[in-house]
Amino acid sequence: MEKTPIAVLISGRGSNMIALHEAMRKQSMHAEIACVISSSASAEGLQYARENSMPAISYKPELWRDDQQVTDAILHTFSEYHVQLVVLAGFLKKIPEAVVRAFPNRIVNIHPALLPAFGGKGMYGRHVHQAVLDYGCKVSGATVHFVAVDYDTGPPILQECVPVKADDTAESLAARILQLEHRLLPKCVDLLTRGKVQIEGRTTRVLE
Ligand code: GAR
């Protein structure tokens, strides 16, 4: 069976991209990373991608300020690498609407909280975990969801919880959730590329 070519979009350290790549190496998955696109040329994750022979792409910074130009560039890259599935792994830019519409239910994002809580514009990385602690939550977690036009609003595919501990800091909570993310994201990609995720309206069903 042919492997599904995947684009992974990152903005920083890229540990979720690395976890996905390692999972692909360790277990037989019907997926391969066809290209890594970063919103920043200095993202640490790009180095790992290059060292591991993955095409590592960062567009000129001005491009991200022009919706049409960035849409054209992303769609051109997807076409060049025959991308079938897109994974946002710590990607902090908004995906242009035209890209979302060109890849219906084929773009997924990992978010470090239990959506719809603690999602939306400005809710990324440490901000999410600090907001969870400030609210006094007893659990948090991670969500992998389909990407819709608005931030963090698409149907969830996988969600799992972790406890919030009394002495947690944003950093300790982030570290606990990151471990979960590194398991959840490869699992979700595996399910999607084996055709094990059905979607009806907002409801996804995982067939295992
Ligand atoms: C991850 O925790 C990811 O869930 C989060 O950024 C981190 C990126 O880490 N994404 C968001 O907050 C998106 N709203 P990584 O670059 O090491 O994968």
Side-chain angles (χ1 to χ4, degrees), residues 8-10 12-24 33 45 48 87-91 109-112 142 144 174 177-186 189:
V8 184
L9 274 61
I10 63 169
R13 133 193 97 173
S15 72
N16 276 292
M17 176 263 296
I18 295 170
L20 181 58
H21 184 245
E22 283 177 352
M24 285 169 178
I33 299 178
Y48 175 92
V87 174
L88 310 187
F91 184 68
N109 176 50
I110 182 138
H111 185 75
V144 189
I177 291 175
L178 196 62
Q179 283 190 351
L180 168 62
E181 293 182 53
H182 291 170
R183 186 167 55 73
L184 224 51
L185 185 63
V189 167

PDB file of all heavy atoms in Angstrom, residues 8-10 12-24 33 45 48 87-91 109-112 142 144 174 177-186 189:
ATOM      1  N   VAL A   8       3.960  18.599   7.327  1.00  0.00           N
ATOM      2  CA  VAL A   8       3.901  19.004   8.732  1.00  0.00           C
ATOM      3  C   VAL A   8       4.292  20.475   8.807  1.00  0.00           C
ATOM      4  O   VAL A   8       5.337  20.869   8.281  1.00  0.00           O
ATOM      5  CB  VAL A   8       4.837  18.150   9.621  1.00  0.00           C
ATOM      6  CG1 VAL A   8       4.676  18.541  11.082  1.00  0.00           C
ATOM      7  CG2 VAL A   8       4.560  16.662   9.447  1.00  0.00           C
ATOM      8  N   LEU A   9       3.430  21.267   9.436  1.00  0.00           N
ATOM      9  CA  LEU A   9       3.685  22.711   9.561  1.00  0.00           C
ATOM     10  C   LEU A   9       4.076  23.021  11.004  1.00  0.00           C
ATOM     11  O   LEU A   9       3.359  22.624  11.943  1.00  0.00           O
ATOM     12  CB  LEU A   9       2.441  23.515   9.147  1.00  0.00           C
ATOM     13  CG  LEU A   9       2.313  23.812   7.637  1.00  0.00           C
ATOM     14  CD1 LEU A   9       2.215  22.542   6.822  1.00  0.00           C
ATOM     15  CD2 LEU A   9       1.130  24.704   7.358  1.00  0.00           C
ATOM     16  N   ILE A  10       5.196  23.698  11.157  1.00  0.00           N
ATOM     17  CA  ILE A  10       5.729  23.991  12.494  1.00  0.00           C
ATOM     18  C   ILE A  10       6.049  25.483  12.613  1.00  0.00           C
ATOM     19  O   ILE A  10       6.102  26.195  11.604  1.00  0.00           O
ATOM     20  CB  ILE A  10       7.002  23.162  12.798  1.00  0.00           C
ATOM     21  CG1 ILE A  10       8.140  23.523  11.819  1.00  0.00           C
ATOM     22  CG2 ILE A  10       6.711  21.654  12.732  1.00  0.00           C
ATOM     23  CD1 ILE A  10       9.496  22.949  12.208  1.00  0.00           C
ATOM     24  N   GLY A  12       8.301  26.254  15.664  1.00  0.00           N
ATOM     25  CA  GLY A  12       9.372  26.335  16.660  1.00  0.00           C
ATOM     26  C   GLY A  12      10.151  25.056  16.783  1.00  0.00           C
ATOM     27  O   GLY A  12      10.657  24.519  15.799  1.00  0.00           O
ATOM     28  N   ARG A  13      10.124  24.519  17.998  1.00  0.00           N
ATOM     29  CA  ARG A  13      11.016  23.396  18.327  1.00  0.00           C
ATOM     30  C   ARG A  13      10.675  22.138  17.558  1.00  0.00           C
ATOM     31  O   ARG A  13      11.524  21.316  17.249  1.00  0.00           O
ATOM     32  CB  ARG A  13      10.944  23.285  19.850  1.00  0.00           C
ATOM     33  CG  ARG A  13      10.755  22.018  20.518  1.00  0.00           C
ATOM     34  CD  ARG A  13      10.415  22.267  21.971  1.00  0.00           C
ATOM     35  NE  ARG A  13       8.962  22.211  22.107  1.00  0.00           N
ATOM     36  CZ  ARG A  13       8.317  22.258  23.248  1.00  0.00           C
ATOM     37  NH1 ARG A  13       8.987  22.392  24.365  1.00  0.00           N
ATOM     38  NH2 ARG A  13       7.009  22.180  23.274  1.00  0.00           N
ATOM     39  N   GLY A  14       9.411  21.925  17.256  1.00  0.00           N
ATOM     40  CA  GLY A  14       9.043  20.801  16.382  1.00  0.00           C
ATOM     41  C   GLY A  14       9.043  19.439  17.049  1.00  0.00           C
ATOM     42  O   GLY A  14       9.166  18.414  16.371  1.00  0.00           O
ATOM     43  N   SER A  15       8.855  19.400  18.381  1.00  0.00           N
ATOM     44  CA  SER A  15       8.930  18.079  19.043  1.00  0.00           C
ATOM     45  C   SER A  15       7.788  17.162  18.599  1.00  0.00           C
ATOM     46  O   SER A  15       7.955  15.944  18.550  1.00  0.00           O
ATOM     47  CB  SER A  15       8.965  18.224  20.565  1.00  0.00           C
ATOM     48  OG  SER A  15       7.717  18.616  21.068  1.00  0.00           O
ATOM     49  N   ASN A  16       6.636  17.722  18.274  1.00  0.00           N
ATOM     50  CA  ASN A  16       5.537  16.867  17.781  1.00  0.00           C
ATOM     51  C   ASN A  16       5.865  16.306  16.392  1.00  0.00           C
ATOM     52  O   ASN A  16       5.536  15.166  16.086  1.00  0.00           O
ATOM     53  CB  ASN A  16       4.217  17.643  17.761  1.00  0.00           C
ATOM     54  CG  ASN A  16       3.539  17.638  19.122  1.00  0.00           C
ATOM     55  OD1 ASN A  16       3.078  16.595  19.577  1.00  0.00           O
ATOM     56  ND2 ASN A  16       3.515  18.788  19.779  1.00  0.00           N
ATOM     57  N   MET A  17       6.501  17.113  15.558  1.00  0.00           N
ATOM     58  CA  MET A  17       6.929  16.629  14.237  1.00  0.00           C
ATOM     59  C   MET A  17       7.951  15.500  14.411  1.00  0.00           C
ATOM     60  O   MET A  17       7.890  14.470  13.726  1.00  0.00           O
ATOM     61  CB  MET A  17       7.525  17.809  13.466  1.00  0.00           C
ATOM     62  CG  MET A  17       8.108  17.492  12.113  1.00  0.00           C
ATOM     63  SD  MET A  17       9.893  17.250  12.158  1.00  0.00           S
ATOM     64  CE  MET A  17      10.488  18.848  12.656  1.00  0.00           C
ATOM     65  N   ILE A  18       8.866  15.687  15.379  1.00  0.00           N
ATOM     66  CA  ILE A  18       9.890  14.665  15.634  1.00  0.00           C
ATOM     67  C   ILE A  18       9.227  13.381  16.151  1.00  0.00           C
ATOM     68  O   ILE A  18       9.563  12.274  15.706  1.00  0.00           O
ATOM     69  CB  ILE A  18      10.952  15.204  16.630  1.00  0.00           C
ATOM     70  CG1 ILE A  18      11.719  16.366  15.986  1.00  0.00           C
ATOM     71  CG2 ILE A  18      11.902  14.092  17.072  1.00  0.00           C
ATOM     72  CD1 ILE A  18      12.621  17.152  16.931  1.00  0.00           C
ATOM     73  N   ALA A  19       8.257  13.531  17.061  1.00  0.00           N
ATOM     74  CA  ALA A  19       7.553  12.351  17.594  1.00  0.00           C
ATOM     75  C   ALA A  19       6.837  11.604  16.470  1.00  0.00           C
ATOM     76  O   ALA A  19       6.832  10.367  16.431  1.00  0.00           O
ATOM     77  CB  ALA A  19       6.551  12.780  18.677  1.00  0.00           C
ATOM     78  N   LEU A  20       6.269  12.356  15.552  1.00  0.00           N
ATOM     79  CA  LEU A  20       5.566  11.730  14.415  1.00  0.00           C
ATOM     80  C   LEU A  20       6.574  10.993  13.526  1.00  0.00           C
ATOM     81  O   LEU A  20       6.339   9.843  13.126  1.00  0.00           O
ATOM     82  CB  LEU A  20       4.830  12.824  13.632  1.00  0.00           C
ATOM     83  CG  LEU A  20       4.011  12.394  12.435  1.00  0.00           C
ATOM     84  CD1 LEU A  20       2.942  11.374  12.828  1.00  0.00           C
ATOM     85  CD2 LEU A  20       3.340  13.615  11.787  1.00  0.00           C
ATOM     86  N   HIS A  21       7.687  11.642  13.263  1.00  0.00           N
ATOM     87  CA  HIS A  21       8.715  11.025  12.421  1.00  0.00           C
ATOM     88  C   HIS A  21       9.273   9.769  13.077  1.00  0.00           C
ATOM     89  O   HIS A  21       9.447   8.728  12.430  1.00  0.00           O
ATOM     90  CB  HIS A  21       9.833  12.052  12.170  1.00  0.00           C
ATOM     91  CG  HIS A  21      10.886  11.563  11.247  1.00  0.00           C
ATOM     92  ND1 HIS A  21      12.186  11.351  11.636  1.00  0.00           N
ATOM     93  CD2 HIS A  21      10.833  11.198   9.940  1.00  0.00           C
ATOM     94  CE1 HIS A  21      12.888  10.903  10.614  1.00  0.00           C
ATOM     95  NE2 HIS A  21      12.098  10.804   9.579  1.00  0.00           N
ATOM     96  N   GLU A  22       9.499   9.834  14.388  1.00  0.00           N
ATOM     97  CA  GLU A  22      10.028   8.655  15.096  1.00  0.00           C
ATOM     98  C   GLU A  22       9.013   7.518  15.082  1.00  0.00           C
ATOM     99  O   GLU A  22       9.383   6.353  14.914  1.00  0.00           O
ATOM    100  CB  GLU A  22      10.432   9.029  16.525  1.00  0.00           C
ATOM    101  CG  GLU A  22      11.767   9.765  16.509  1.00  0.00           C
ATOM    102  CD  GLU A  22      12.229  10.241  17.868  1.00  0.00           C
ATOM    103  OE1 GLU A  22      11.445  10.139  18.845  1.00  0.00           O
ATOM    104  OE2 GLU A  22      13.377  10.737  17.947  1.00  0.00           O
ATOM    105  N   ALA A  23       7.744   7.854  15.255  1.00  0.00           N
ATOM    106  CA  ALA A  23       6.704   6.811  15.224  1.00  0.00           C
ATOM    107  C   ALA A  23       6.672   6.146  13.854  1.00  0.00           C
ATOM    108  O   ALA A  23       6.496   4.925  13.746  1.00  0.00           O
ATOM    109  CB  ALA A  23       5.337   7.422  15.560  1.00  0.00           C
ATOM    110  N   MET A  24       6.866   6.927  12.819  1.00  0.00           N
ATOM    111  CA  MET A  24       6.871   6.368  11.461  1.00  0.00           C
ATOM    112  C   MET A  24       8.048   5.425  11.256  1.00  0.00           C
ATOM    113  O   MET A  24       7.964   4.471  10.505  1.00  0.00           O
ATOM    114  CB  MET A  24       6.941   7.491  10.416  1.00  0.00           C
ATOM    115  CG  MET A  24       5.633   8.218  10.270  1.00  0.00           C
ATOM    116  SD  MET A  24       5.862   9.694   9.285  1.00  0.00           S
ATOM    117  CE  MET A  24       4.177  10.279   9.236  1.00  0.00           C
ATOM    118  N   ILE A  33       6.418  11.661   5.951  1.00  0.00           N
ATOM    119  CA  ILE A  33       6.477  13.125   5.930  1.00  0.00           C
ATOM    120  C   ILE A  33       7.095  13.543   4.598  1.00  0.00           C
ATOM    121  O   ILE A  33       8.264  13.266   4.324  1.00  0.00           O
ATOM    122  CB  ILE A  33       7.267  13.672   7.134  1.00  0.00           C
ATOM    123  CG1 ILE A  33       6.576  13.253   8.441  1.00  0.00           C
ATOM    124  CG2 ILE A  33       7.375  15.195   7.036  1.00  0.00           C
ATOM    125  CD1 ILE A  33       7.279  13.689   9.719  1.00  0.00           C
ATOM    126  N   GLY A  45      13.012  23.117  14.693  1.00  0.00           N
ATOM    127  CA  GLY A  45      12.559  21.880  14.057  1.00  0.00           C
ATOM    128  C   GLY A  45      13.058  21.715  12.632  1.00  0.00           C
ATOM    129  O   GLY A  45      13.181  20.582  12.141  1.00  0.00           O
ATOM    130  N   TYR A  48      16.200  19.533  12.443  1.00  0.00           N
ATOM    131  CA  TYR A  48      15.928  18.082  12.522  1.00  0.00           C
ATOM    132  C   TYR A  48      15.423  17.578  11.181  1.00  0.00           C
ATOM    133  O   TYR A  48      15.849  16.521  10.704  1.00  0.00           O
ATOM    134  CB  TYR A  48      14.890  17.810  13.619  1.00  0.00           C
ATOM    135  CG  TYR A  48      14.470  16.351  13.679  1.00  0.00           C
ATOM    136  CD1 TYR A  48      15.127  15.447  14.519  1.00  0.00           C
ATOM    137  CD2 TYR A  48      13.433  15.862  12.879  1.00  0.00           C
ATOM    138  CE1 TYR A  48      14.754  14.103  14.562  1.00  0.00           C
ATOM    139  CE2 TYR A  48      13.061  14.523  12.924  1.00  0.00           C
ATOM    140  CZ  TYR A  48      13.719  13.650  13.765  1.00  0.00           C
ATOM    141  OH  TYR A  48      13.348  12.326  13.802  1.00  0.00           O
ATOM    142  N   VAL A  87      -0.593  18.310   8.741  1.00  0.00           N
ATOM    143  CA  VAL A  87      -0.570  18.260  10.206  1.00  0.00           C
ATOM    144  C   VAL A  87       0.021  19.564  10.731  1.00  0.00           C
ATOM    145  O   VAL A  87       1.160  19.909  10.408  1.00  0.00           O
ATOM    146  CB  VAL A  87       0.287  17.060  10.692  1.00  0.00           C
ATOM    147  CG1 VAL A  87       0.442  17.100  12.207  1.00  0.00           C
ATOM    148  CG2 VAL A  87      -0.328  15.742  10.240  1.00  0.00           C
ATOM    149  N   LEU A  88      -0.769  20.287  11.520  1.00  0.00           N
ATOM    150  CA  LEU A  88      -0.259  21.495  12.176  1.00  0.00           C
ATOM    151  C   LEU A  88       0.282  21.067  13.534  1.00  0.00           C
ATOM    152  O   LEU A  88      -0.482  20.603  14.394  1.00  0.00           O
ATOM    153  CB  LEU A  88      -1.369  22.538  12.351  1.00  0.00           C
ATOM    154  CG  LEU A  88      -2.211  22.882  11.111  1.00  0.00           C
ATOM    155  CD1 LEU A  88      -3.152  24.050  11.429  1.00  0.00           C
ATOM    156  CD2 LEU A  88      -1.336  23.209   9.908  1.00  0.00           C
ATOM    157  N   ALA A  89       1.584  21.166  13.702  1.00  0.00           N
ATOM    158  CA  ALA A  89       2.234  20.669  14.916  1.00  0.00           C
ATOM    159  C   ALA A  89       2.981  21.827  15.566  1.00  0.00           C
ATOM    160  O   ALA A  89       4.158  22.059  15.284  1.00  0.00           O
ATOM    161  CB  ALA A  89       3.183  19.519  14.559  1.00  0.00           C
ATOM    162  N   GLY A  90       2.253  22.588  16.390  1.00  0.00           N
ATOM    163  CA  GLY A  90       2.871  23.773  16.990  1.00  0.00           C
ATOM    164  C   GLY A  90       3.017  24.883  15.976  1.00  0.00           C
ATOM    165  O   GLY A  90       3.955  25.672  16.029  1.00  0.00           O
ATOM    166  N   PHE A  91       2.069  24.944  15.033  1.00  0.00           N
ATOM    167  CA  PHE A  91       2.109  25.971  13.984  1.00  0.00           C
ATOM    168  C   PHE A  91       1.285  27.160  14.466  1.00  0.00           C
ATOM    169  O   PHE A  91       0.104  27.016  14.787  1.00  0.00           O
ATOM    170  CB  PHE A  91       1.525  25.391  12.690  1.00  0.00           C
ATOM    171  CG  PHE A  91       1.608  26.329  11.528  1.00  0.00           C
ATOM    172  CD1 PHE A  91       2.837  26.671  10.984  1.00  0.00           C
ATOM    173  CD2 PHE A  91       0.459  26.866  10.965  1.00  0.00           C
ATOM    174  CE1 PHE A  91       2.920  27.539   9.910  1.00  0.00           C
ATOM    175  CE2 PHE A  91       0.529  27.730   9.896  1.00  0.00           C
ATOM    176  CZ  PHE A  91       1.766  28.067   9.360  1.00  0.00           C
ATOM    177  N   ASN A 109      -4.889  19.602  13.580  1.00  0.00           N
ATOM    178  CA  ASN A 109      -4.062  20.421  14.462  1.00  0.00           C
ATOM    179  C   ASN A 109      -3.999  19.760  15.822  1.00  0.00           C
ATOM    180  O   ASN A 109      -4.968  19.135  16.253  1.00  0.00           O
ATOM    181  CB  ASN A 109      -4.709  21.811  14.606  1.00  0.00           C
ATOM    182  CG  ASN A 109      -3.964  22.705  15.587  1.00  0.00           C
ATOM    183  OD1 ASN A 109      -2.744  22.854  15.511  1.00  0.00           O
ATOM    184  ND2 ASN A 109      -4.692  23.308  16.526  1.00  0.00           N
ATOM    185  N   ILE A 110      -2.852  19.904  16.491  1.00  0.00           N
ATOM    186  CA  ILE A 110      -2.791  19.458  17.885  1.00  0.00           C
ATOM    187  C   ILE A 110      -2.795  20.679  18.787  1.00  0.00           C
ATOM    188  O   ILE A 110      -2.070  21.651  18.548  1.00  0.00           O
ATOM    189  CB  ILE A 110      -1.585  18.525  18.168  1.00  0.00           C
ATOM    190  CG1 ILE A 110      -1.620  18.059  19.619  1.00  0.00           C
ATOM    191  CG2 ILE A 110      -0.244  19.161  17.841  1.00  0.00           C
ATOM    192  CD1 ILE A 110      -1.302  16.626  19.825  1.00  0.00           C
ATOM    193  N   HIS A 111      -3.668  20.624  19.794  1.00  0.00           N
ATOM    194  CA  HIS A 111      -3.811  21.749  20.723  1.00  0.00           C
ATOM    195  C   HIS A 111      -3.575  21.230  22.150  1.00  0.00           C
ATOM    196  O   HIS A 111      -4.125  20.192  22.526  1.00  0.00           O
ATOM    197  CB  HIS A 111      -5.213  22.361  20.602  1.00  0.00           C
ATOM    198  CG  HIS A 111      -5.370  23.588  21.444  1.00  0.00           C
ATOM    199  ND1 HIS A 111      -4.813  24.801  21.086  1.00  0.00           N
ATOM    200  CD2 HIS A 111      -5.972  23.781  22.640  1.00  0.00           C
ATOM    201  CE1 HIS A 111      -5.088  25.693  22.028  1.00  0.00           C
ATOM    202  NE2 HIS A 111      -5.786  25.093  22.981  1.00  0.00           N
ATOM    203  N   PRO A 112      -2.813  21.983  22.974  1.00  0.00           N
ATOM    204  CA  PRO A 112      -2.447  21.450  24.290  1.00  0.00           C
ATOM    205  C   PRO A 112      -3.472  21.744  25.381  1.00  0.00           C
ATOM    206  O   PRO A 112      -3.122  22.180  26.482  1.00  0.00           O
ATOM    207  CB  PRO A 112      -1.118  22.146  24.565  1.00  0.00           C
ATOM    208  CG  PRO A 112      -1.267  23.468  23.899  1.00  0.00           C
ATOM    209  CD  PRO A 112      -2.111  23.252  22.688  1.00  0.00           C
ATOM    210  N   ALA A 142      -5.000  17.166  25.885  1.00  0.00           N
ATOM    211  CA  ALA A 142      -4.635  17.536  24.512  1.00  0.00           C
ATOM    212  C   ALA A 142      -5.771  17.118  23.587  1.00  0.00           C
ATOM    213  O   ALA A 142      -6.506  16.163  23.862  1.00  0.00           O
ATOM    214  CB  ALA A 142      -3.335  16.856  24.098  1.00  0.00           C
ATOM    215  N   VAL A 144      -6.583  16.540  19.347  1.00  0.00           N
ATOM    216  CA  VAL A 144      -6.250  16.587  17.924  1.00  0.00           C
ATOM    217  C   VAL A 144      -7.579  16.757  17.197  1.00  0.00           C
ATOM    218  O   VAL A 144      -8.526  15.991  17.435  1.00  0.00           O
ATOM    219  CB  VAL A 144      -5.535  15.317  17.416  1.00  0.00           C
ATOM    220  CG1 VAL A 144      -5.030  15.533  15.983  1.00  0.00           C
ATOM    221  CG2 VAL A 144      -4.376  14.942  18.317  1.00  0.00           C
ATOM    222  N   ALA A 174       2.791  21.860  31.030  1.00  0.00           N
ATOM    223  CA  ALA A 174       3.114  21.759  29.596  1.00  0.00           C
ATOM    224  C   ALA A 174       3.898  20.483  29.316  1.00  0.00           C
ATOM    225  O   ALA A 174       3.635  19.780  28.327  1.00  0.00           O
ATOM    226  CB  ALA A 174       3.928  22.978  29.156  1.00  0.00           C
ATOM    227  N   ILE A 177       1.645  17.440  29.433  1.00  0.00           N
ATOM    228  CA  ILE A 177       0.751  17.388  28.261  1.00  0.00           C
ATOM    229  C   ILE A 177       1.544  17.087  26.987  1.00  0.00           C
ATOM    230  O   ILE A 177       1.062  16.374  26.109  1.00  0.00           O
ATOM    231  CB  ILE A 177      -0.070  18.691  28.164  1.00  0.00           C
ATOM    232  CG1 ILE A 177      -1.061  18.737  29.330  1.00  0.00           C
ATOM    233  CG2 ILE A 177      -0.808  18.784  26.826  1.00  0.00           C
ATOM    234  CD1 ILE A 177      -1.862  20.003  29.461  1.00  0.00           C
ATOM    235  N   LEU A 178       2.767  17.580  26.919  1.00  0.00           N
ATOM    236  CA  LEU A 178       3.577  17.327  25.714  1.00  0.00           C
ATOM    237  C   LEU A 178       3.825  15.821  25.528  1.00  0.00           C
ATOM    238  O   LEU A 178       3.777  15.309  24.409  1.00  0.00           O
ATOM    239  CB  LEU A 178       4.896  18.088  25.796  1.00  0.00           C
ATOM    240  CG  LEU A 178       5.648  18.231  24.469  1.00  0.00           C
ATOM    241  CD1 LEU A 178       4.848  19.023  23.438  1.00  0.00           C
ATOM    242  CD2 LEU A 178       7.003  18.902  24.692  1.00  0.00           C
ATOM    243  N   GLN A 179       4.054  15.118  26.645  1.00  0.00           N
ATOM    244  CA  GLN A 179       4.231  13.648  26.553  1.00  0.00           C
ATOM    245  C   GLN A 179       3.002  13.005  25.939  1.00  0.00           C
ATOM    246  O   GLN A 179       3.093  12.101  25.116  1.00  0.00           O
ATOM    247  CB  GLN A 179       4.422  13.060  27.949  1.00  0.00           C
ATOM    248  CG  GLN A 179       5.800  13.273  28.502  1.00  0.00           C
ATOM    249  CD  GLN A 179       6.005  12.463  29.782  1.00  0.00           C
ATOM    250  OE1 GLN A 179       5.069  11.893  30.327  1.00  0.00           O
ATOM    251  NE2 GLN A 179       7.237  12.431  30.248  1.00  0.00           N
ATOM    252  N   LEU A 180       1.837  13.487  26.375  1.00  0.00           N
ATOM    253  CA  LEU A 180       0.572  12.973  25.836  1.00  0.00           C
ATOM    254  C   LEU A 180       0.447  13.324  24.348  1.00  0.00           C
ATOM    255  O   LEU A 180       0.068  12.479  23.525  1.00  0.00           O
ATOM    256  CB  LEU A 180      -0.583  13.586  26.646  1.00  0.00           C
ATOM    257  CG  LEU A 180      -2.001  13.441  26.135  1.00  0.00           C
ATOM    258  CD1 LEU A 180      -2.387  11.969  26.075  1.00  0.00           C
ATOM    259  CD2 LEU A 180      -2.971  14.190  27.060  1.00  0.00           C
ATOM    260  N   GLU A 181       0.808  14.553  23.994  1.00  0.00           N
ATOM    261  CA  GLU A 181       0.729  14.983  22.583  1.00  0.00           C
ATOM    262  C   GLU A 181       1.574  14.076  21.693  1.00  0.00           C
ATOM    263  O   GLU A 181       1.163  13.713  20.596  1.00  0.00           O
ATOM    264  CB  GLU A 181       1.232  16.428  22.441  1.00  0.00           C
ATOM    265  CG  GLU A 181       0.362  17.462  23.101  1.00  0.00           C
ATOM    266  CD  GLU A 181       0.911  18.866  22.866  1.00  0.00           C
ATOM    267  OE1 GLU A 181       1.158  19.235  21.714  1.00  0.00           O
ATOM    268  OE2 GLU A 181       1.114  19.594  23.856  1.00  0.00           O
ATOM    269  N   HIS A 182       2.760  13.723  22.204  1.00  0.00           N
ATOM    270  CA  HIS A 182       3.682  12.917  21.391  1.00  0.00           C
ATOM    271  C   HIS A 182       3.125  11.518  21.111  1.00  0.00           C
ATOM    272  O   HIS A 182       3.565  10.844  20.198  1.00  0.00           O
ATOM    273  CB  HIS A 182       5.051  12.821  22.079  1.00  0.00           C
ATOM    274  CG  HIS A 182       5.776  14.134  22.098  1.00  0.00           C
ATOM    275  ND1 HIS A 182       6.913  14.354  22.825  1.00  0.00           N
ATOM    276  CD2 HIS A 182       5.505  15.303  21.456  1.00  0.00           C
ATOM    277  CE1 HIS A 182       7.320  15.604  22.641  1.00  0.00           C
ATOM    278  NE2 HIS A 182       6.477  16.197  21.814  1.00  0.00           N
ATOM    279  N   ARG A 183       2.180  11.080  21.932  1.00  0.00           N
ATOM    280  CA  ARG A 183       1.522   9.781  21.696  1.00  0.00           C
ATOM    281  C   ARG A 183       0.269   9.966  20.842  1.00  0.00           C
ATOM    282  O   ARG A 183      -0.027   9.183  19.946  1.00  0.00           O
ATOM    283  CB  ARG A 183       1.167   9.179  23.065  1.00  0.00           C
ATOM    284  CG  ARG A 183       0.613   7.793  23.024  1.00  0.00           C
ATOM    285  CD  ARG A 183       0.598   7.163  24.413  1.00  0.00           C
ATOM    286  NE  ARG A 183      -0.101   7.936  25.431  1.00  0.00           N
ATOM    287  CZ  ARG A 183      -1.427   8.061  25.499  1.00  0.00           C
ATOM    288  NH1 ARG A 183      -2.189   7.494  24.603  1.00  0.00           N
ATOM    289  NH2 ARG A 183      -1.989   8.775  26.467  1.00  0.00           N
ATOM    290  N   LEU A 184      -0.474  11.052  21.144  1.00  0.00           N
ATOM    291  CA  LEU A 184      -1.783  11.257  20.504  1.00  0.00           C
ATOM    292  C   LEU A 184      -1.660  11.621  19.013  1.00  0.00           C
ATOM    293  O   LEU A 184      -2.439  11.145  18.185  1.00  0.00           O
ATOM    294  CB  LEU A 184      -2.498  12.393  21.238  1.00  0.00           C
ATOM    295  CG  LEU A 184      -3.975  12.229  21.571  1.00  0.00           C
ATOM    296  CD1 LEU A 184      -4.251  10.912  22.281  1.00  0.00           C
ATOM    297  CD2 LEU A 184      -4.452  13.399  22.422  1.00  0.00           C
ATOM    298  N   LEU A 185      -0.674  12.457  18.679  1.00  0.00           N
ATOM    299  CA  LEU A 185      -0.581  12.922  17.287  1.00  0.00           C
ATOM    300  C   LEU A 185      -0.232  11.775  16.320  1.00  0.00           C
ATOM    301  O   LEU A 185      -0.939  11.591  15.319  1.00  0.00           O
ATOM    302  CB  LEU A 185       0.420  14.085  17.167  1.00  0.00           C
ATOM    303  CG  LEU A 185       0.495  14.706  15.768  1.00  0.00           C
ATOM    304  CD1 LEU A 185      -0.837  15.332  15.355  1.00  0.00           C
ATOM    305  CD2 LEU A 185       1.608  15.746  15.688  1.00  0.00           C
ATOM    306  N   PRO A 186       0.807  10.961  16.609  1.00  0.00           N
ATOM    307  CA  PRO A 186       1.071   9.817  15.711  1.00  0.00           C
ATOM    308  C   PRO A 186      -0.119   8.859  15.633  1.00  0.00           C
ATOM    309  O   PRO A 186      -0.419   8.333  14.567  1.00  0.00           O
ATOM    310  CB  PRO A 186       2.287   9.131  16.349  1.00  0.00           C
ATOM    311  CG  PRO A 186       2.944  10.184  17.167  1.00  0.00           C
ATOM    312  CD  PRO A 186       1.844  11.076  17.651  1.00  0.00           C
ATOM    313  N   VAL A 189      -2.656  10.388  13.247  1.00  0.00           N
ATOM    314  CA  VAL A 189      -2.208  10.305  11.843  1.00  0.00           C
ATOM    315  C   VAL A 189      -2.351   8.867  11.349  1.00  0.00           C
ATOM    316  O   VAL A 189      -2.792   8.615  10.224  1.00  0.00           O
ATOM    317  CB  VAL A 189      -0.752  10.819  11.725  1.00  0.00           C
ATOM    318  CG1 VAL A 189      -0.147  10.449  10.376  1.00  0.00           C
ATOM    319  CG2 VAL A 189      -0.720  12.325  11.938  1.00  0.00           C
TER     320      VAL A 189
END
